[in-house]
Amino acid sequence: MGVSLFWRMFMSNALVLAIAAALLIGPWVTVSSPVLLREALVIGGGLTAMLAANALLFRVGLAPLERLTKAMADANLLEPGLRARVTGHGELAQLTDTFNVMLGRLESERAASSGRVLSAQESERRRVARELHDEVGQTLTVVILQFKSLADRVPKDLREDVVTAQETVRDSLDEVRRIARRLRPGVLEDLGLASALRALVLEFAAPGVTVTHQVDASLPALGGQAELVLYRVAQEAMTNAARHSQASTISLGLRSAGECTVELIVRDDGQGLHGTKEGAGLLGMRERALLLGATLTLTSGDPRGTTVRLRVPLPKDGAV
């Protein structure tokens, strides 16, 4: 084991004081009474040299602690993989190594807890979507049929109002079904990720907004969890672009980026992220990326536009 920080600092100061004492005891420096100007200058210069030497020694000795402090301040469990650099030996090296081990354990626990939370969220989404479809949807369908029957029996001067109410309920039914599809993407489960992303793009097509997509036909095999994460991140990114960025063009791309990586890219020409704080949506995307050990980056163009990029690593067997 190396010399402890205490003894390194103690011996450094002892060495400086020993040199100063040797100079005073030896014939090189004498002190008169009263002190002469020349002697005062020598003593002042010696004191300045001692302080400079102490400052340099403390700076060198405490540099690893400063690096560790910066690493602690920069640590972010939503951006795993960052570690403090272990330098030197002794107590500070052990402290840095212990911090890295602790950070790795916290990242693993955060990923596990995020997985449980997201799994519970998806289960709740499926339950709510099923109730919207089976309960609310059926009730609204019955109301539409009742309005249709009523429209055939009411006087002509009231028929238009009944038909208007019927169309309002029909629009509400379409909205309930749309919400249910967003909560539980049945097309993802039935037809796979490529078809689900194409359907997602169609949902965001609107007057004044051009939405395009390009999905690589030769994607490697993906597991259900990876497909769900990619779909949810794409859904959130396109929702942000459509609702908050005032974009006129939105593009979605999914491609292979090497043999063991799949990359999702969502771009828009909106107002960008300049000065925007990350909300629950962006935090949710980072949580999902953490679940797969993926890398999520958000960049703003100059002066406009936002790019959301999710790189999902695949294991050697090609499934997640």
Side-chain angles (χ1 to χ4, degrees), residues 31 54 58 62 76 79 99 179 187 244 251 262 271 297 299:
V31 180
N54 269 283
F58 272 99
L62 297 178
N76 186 351
E79 297 179 3
F99 169 73
I179 294 173
V187 66
H244 308 301
S251 66
V262 171
Q271 61 187 3
T297 57
T299 55

Side-chain angles (χ1 to χ4, degrees), residues 45-312:
L47 178 60
T48 302
M50 289 175 57
L51 292 175
N54 269 283
L56 178 62
L57 291 171
F58 272 99
R59 173 67 66 183
V60 173
L62 297 178
L65 189 58
E66 292 180 357
R67 288 194 293 269
L68 178 60
T69 302
K70 185 179 185 304
M72 289 179 174
D74 294 340
N76 186 351
L77 296 182
L78 292 178
E79 297 179 3
L82 298 177
R83 294 292 184 271
R85 183 164 57 95
V86 179
T87 57
H89 49 74
E91 294 170 331
L92 285 177
Q94 287 184 339
L95 180 61
T96 304
D97 189 59
T98 301
F99 169 73
N100 288 336
V101 172
M102 179 192 70
L103 189 59
R105 185 168 62 249
L106 289 175
E107 289 174 354
S108 298
E109 293 174 355
R110 178 64 180 268
S113 63
S114 296
R116 291 191 294 269
V117 170
L118 293 175
S119 178
Q121 286 181 352
E122 290 299 331
S123 298
E124 186 65 12
R125 284 171 180 257
R126 286 192 293 269
R127 185 189 67 79
V128 173
R130 185 167 54 250
E131 291 188 0
L132 285 174
H133 183 274
D134 296 343
E135 302 296 333
V136 180
Q138 290 183 6
T139 300
L140 292 177
T141 301
V142 171
V143 173
I144 291 173
L145 295 175
Q146 289 174 343
F147 271 122
K148 178 175 175 51
S149 175
L150 183 62
D152 297 333
R153 293 183 284 112
V154 299
K156 291 184 178 180
D157 57 336
L158 296 177
R159 187 170 301 168
E160 184 177 352
D161 293 336
V162 174
V163 172
T164 300
Q166 178 184 351
E167 292 304 316
T168 301
V169 176
R170 193 186 305 276
D171 291 340
S172 299
L173 176 60
D174 292 340
E175 181 67 15
V176 167
R177 288 173 175 170
R178 186 187 67 81
I179 294 173
R181 286 194 303 269
R182 289 177 63 83
L183 289 173
R184 180 180 177 271
V187 66
L188 176 63
E189 299 175 0
D190 299 334
L191 301 178
L193 180 61
S195 297
L197 291 178
R198 295 188 185 98
L200 180 65
V201 167
L202 293 177
E203 289 186 19
F204 288 93
V209 180
T210 302
V211 185
T212 61
H213 70 278
Q214 184 174 4
V215 179
D216 193 345
S218 60
L219 289 173
L222 297 170
Q225 188 178 64
E227 288 189 347
L228 183 59
V229 168
L230 286 164
Y231 179 85
R232 291 301 188 194
V233 171
Q235 185 181 51
E236 181 63 34
M238 296 194 68
T239 299
N240 290 339
R243 293 183 180 178
H244 308 301
S245 72
Q246 301 176 359
S248 60
T249 302
I250 305 173
S251 66
L252 180 149
L254 182 65
R255 65 183 184 181
S256 297
E259 297 181 356
C260 298
T261 305
V262 171
E263 185 176 60
L264 171 73
I265 302 175
V266 179
R267 288 192 178 97
D268 67 70
D269 62 350
Q271 61 187 3
L273 297 172
H274 307 290
T276 303
K277 294 183 179 180
E278 292 194 2
L282 296 181
L283 179 60
M285 288 195 289
R286 294 195 184 279
E287 293 277 4
R288 293 183 184 278
L290 181 64
L291 183 60
L292 297 179
T295 302
L296 179 73
T297 57
L298 292 88
T299 55
S300 288
D302 186 13
R304 294 172 60 85
T306 302
T307 300
V308 178
R309 189 184 305 270
L310 178 68
R311 295 177 63 91
V312 178

Side-chain angles (χ1 to χ4, degrees), residues 18-48:
I19 294 174
L23 290 174
L24 290 174
I25 294 173
W28 306 281
V29 179
T30 59
V31 180
S32 303
S33 181
V35 179
L36 301 177
L37 177 61
R38 180 178 60 82
E39 295 172 345
L41 292 176
V42 171
I43 293 174
L47 178 60
T48 302

